[in-house]
Amino acid sequence: MGPEATIVVIAHNEEKYIGKSIHSIRGQDFNNFELIVIDDYSTDRTFDKIISINDGSLIVIRNEAQLGPVESRNRGVRQA
């Protein structure tokens, strides 16, 4: 049986906060969810931080150009 919920996180140049955000989501009592993290073409080390956290439980997407929050969320929904 698949997850009961999907959480989509969009990040653009959030190197400072993305780790804390992912760990906070993963630390919830409800854990039957999939977590999709989309890097919206960051120019800092956001993508590197996401990859360093990924232990196989995240779905990570990296946009090849900055698409903005709406299209990035749509990519996450399509992935879900």
Side-chain angles (χ1 to χ4, degrees):
M1 183 173 189
E4 291 182 50
T6 300
I7 300 168
V8 178
V9 175
I10 311 303
H12 175 73
N13 292 341
E14 297 295 339
E15 173 184 2
K16 188 173 178 180
Y17 305 105
I18 192 65
K20 186 174 181 178
S21 296
I22 291 171
H23 289 300
S24 177
I25 292 166
R26 289 170 130 187
Q28 300 302 306
D29 291 336
F30 176 81
N31 58 17
N32 188 10
F33 62 85
E34 66 180 348
L35 179 55
I36 300 173
V37 182
I38 301 174
D39 175 53
D40 191 20
Y41 200 67
S42 294
T43 57
D44 64 1
R45 294 180 36 91
T46 298
F47 185 72
D48 296 331
K49 290 270 189 169
I50 295 167
I51 295 301
S52 73
I53 295 168
N54 188 7
D55 59 7
S57 65
L58 302 178
I59 298 169
V60 180
I61 299 171
R62 186 173 196 189
N63 293 341
E64 294 180 13
Q66 188 175 359
L67 301 178
V70 173
E71 185 55 36
S72 294
R73 272 191 207 93
N74 287 342
R75 285 193 77 190
V77 168
R78 285 191 298 269
Q79 177 67 40

